[in-house]
């Protein structure tokens, strides 16, 4: 069990469901992006822009790569501070186990996270992001903080 990273366990749990992410860029059309290549888990990364705003990148995290993490925890409730726009409290993977969540970044762009897509929260400054549940009453998720200075393993996909 020691050889299997906590991220790998989380990915296996999350992969048991739909393997897609929908993104609505700006006020344009909704576009579905599927990452089905073997050896890739679909991911979306929240990032800070130089002006302090938040945006996102679509991509993937290679499978069977060991992430430098030391702990994880689960949640199925929402804290008060999460109900408004906020930056991520730390660099972390957020793995949705149940629920659909629409995330919104500074310019109004949104994307949908479903089980099977890993969210990488790295928007640590500025206004951050907001989110809301879509057609679900609960959001079950794993939080997996990335150790300080460690590689997040994220690979951006160019559209």
């Amino acid at each position: 069990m020691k050889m299997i990273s906590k991220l790998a366990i989380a990915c296996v749990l999350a992969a048991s469901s739909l393997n897609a992410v929908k993104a609505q860029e700006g006020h344009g059309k909704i576009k579905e992006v599927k990452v089905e290549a073997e050896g890739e888990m679909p991911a979306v990364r929240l990032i800070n822009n130089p002006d302090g705003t938040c945006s996102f990148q679509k991509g993937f995290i290679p499978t069977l790569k060991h992430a430098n993490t030391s702990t994880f925890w689960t949640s199925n409730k929402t804290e008060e501070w999460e109900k408004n726009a906020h930056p991520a409290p730390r660099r972390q993977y957020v793995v949705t186990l149940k629920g659909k969540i629409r995330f919104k970044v500074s310019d109004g762009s949104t994307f949908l996270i479903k089980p099977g897509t890993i969210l990488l929260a790295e928007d640590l400054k500025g206004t951050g992001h907001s989110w809301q549940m879509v057609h679900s009453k609960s959001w079950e998720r794993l939080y997996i903080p990335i150790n300080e200075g460690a590689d997040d393993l994220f690979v951006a996909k160019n559209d």
Side-chain angles (χ1 to χ4, degrees), residues 51-63:
D51 66 358
T53 60
C54 172
S55 60
F56 67 92
Q57 298 173 312
K58 296 175 283 184
F60 65 91
I61 296 175
T63 61

Side-chain angles (χ1 to χ4, degrees), residues 34-49:
K34 292 188 181 199
V35 182
E36 297 178 354
E38 187 173 328
E40 299 177 357
M41 291 295 298
V44 177
R45 177 167 59 181
L46 292 168
I47 57 172
N48 284 118
N49 298 315

Side-chain angles (χ1 to χ4, degrees), residues 37-136:
E38 187 173 328
E40 299 177 357
M41 291 295 298
V44 177
R45 177 167 59 181
L46 292 168
I47 57 172
N48 284 118
N49 298 315
D51 66 358
T53 60
C54 172
S55 60
F56 67 92
Q57 298 173 312
K58 296 175 283 184
F60 65 91
I61 296 175
T63 61
L64 302 178
K65 297 280 186 180
H66 290 251
N68 194 348
T69 64
S70 60
T71 189
F72 76 93
W73 60 90
T74 62
S75 183
N76 62 1
K77 66 178 190 168
T78 302
E79 303 289 336
E80 277 304 310
W81 63 270
E82 293 176 301
K83 294 179 181 177
N84 299 306
H86 61 278
R90 70 197 65 78
R91 289 178 65 224
Q92 62 188 355
Y93 301 103
V94 181
V95 181
T96 296
L97 303 174
K98 182 179 179 184
K100 294 179 187 176
I101 308 301
R102 182 175 315 282
F103 281 80
K104 184 176 182 181
V105 296
S106 301
D107 70 357
S109 298
T110 64
F111 61 92
L112 188 65
I113 291 285
K114 298 179 181 181
T117 301
I118 299 169
L119 176 70
L120 178 54
E122 292 191 327
D123 59 329
L124 305 176
K125 301 175 188 169
T127 56
H129 59 276
S130 61
W131 57 264
Q132 65 182 33
M133 288 183 254
V134 177
H135 305 298
S136 55

